[in-house]
Amino acid sequence: MKEKVILLLLALSIGLFFFDQYAGKPKSPINKESSQTTEQIKTGTEHGQKALDFGLKTRENQNIKLSDYKGKNVFVNFWASWCPPCRAEMPHIQDFYEEYKGKDVAVLSVNLTHLDKDLDTIHQFVQKNGLTFPVIYDERRIVNDLYKVNTIPTSYVVDKDGVIRERIVGPVSKERLEKLFSHLPN
């Protein structure tokens, strides 16, 4: 009797192994050969998932949501004004924004306000650096936690259908942004 149970468990384990290897793996979220639509894609913060929507306020108290940019390819950047790599990448992001803002590309800058000294310091940084792209403030760490941002800067490239195409930890250059966005559909 004991041997039958062991054989049954062994057979079940082998069966589950092969099921997981061949039948149980999820298909690529967006694949040219797949008939899956963006509505069928899982929502989350990983590559190939539909980006979680969020909304935060600007300095002028305007509420901006990621979903406001549906139909555009979006660069979402998480940063703080004291962070040296964040400071270094800002001129590159500004240059990219200036060149591509009229071409169905958007930049959405999420300041992790809970990590910064105060709002005045952030506003001075934005003015001093001539940042003209939208800056929204995550004062209560809501979007930081939603997107699991543990290192700054962290950025996401979201395509016009709202699907995450890239997660970047560390600073970016204008050249890298151009390369990332050149692979996205217009």
Side-chain angles (χ1 to χ4, degrees), residues 94 97-98 101 126 129-135:
Q94 180 62 37
Y97 173 72
E98 286 297 321
K101 66 182 176 184
V126 168
N129 289 281
L131 305 180
T132 59
F133 47 77
V135 176

Side-chain angles (χ1 to χ4, degrees), residues 80-82 111-122:
S81 67
W82 55 264
N111 175 266
L112 301 178
T113 313
H114 63 281
L115 297 177
D116 251 308
K117 183 177 179 183
D118 56 42
L119 286 172
D120 285 337
T121 302
I122 302 162

Side-chain angles (χ1 to χ4, degrees), residues 4-49:
K4 288 182 180 180
V5 171
I6 292 173
L7 285 173
L8 182 61
L9 289 174
L10 181 62
L12 185 59
S13 295
I14 292 170
L16 287 174
F17 171 80
F18 283 107
F19 177 78
D20 182 55
Q21 290 296 309
Y22 300 103
K25 284 200 174 188
K27 305 294 185 266
S28 174
I30 296 216
N31 185 333
K32 290 179 183 171
E33 293 81 34
S34 171
S35 62
Q36 200 172 27
T37 65
T38 55
E39 289 78 28
Q40 296 170 315
I41 297 172
K42 181 180 173 183
T43 302
T45 60
E46 301 297 322
H47 181 273
Q49 294 181 331

Side-chain angles (χ1 to χ4, degrees), residues 24-75:
K25 284 200 174 188
K27 305 294 185 266
S28 174
I30 296 216
N31 185 333
K32 290 179 183 171
E33 293 81 34
S34 171
S35 62
Q36 200 172 27
T37 65
T38 55
E39 289 78 28
Q40 296 170 315
I41 297 172
K42 181 180 173 183
T43 302
T45 60
E46 301 297 322
H47 181 273
Q49 294 181 331
K50 193 164 180 127
L52 295 167
D53 196 18
F54 61 86
L56 294 169
K57 296 197 181 290
T58 65
R59 179 180 184 184
E60 296 78 24
N61 210 29
Q62 175 189 7
N63 191 41
I64 296 180
K65 297 187 301 186
L66 177 59
S67 59
D68 293 342
Y69 296 98
K70 187 169 174 72
K72 291 187 175 196
N73 295 313
V74 186
F75 179 69

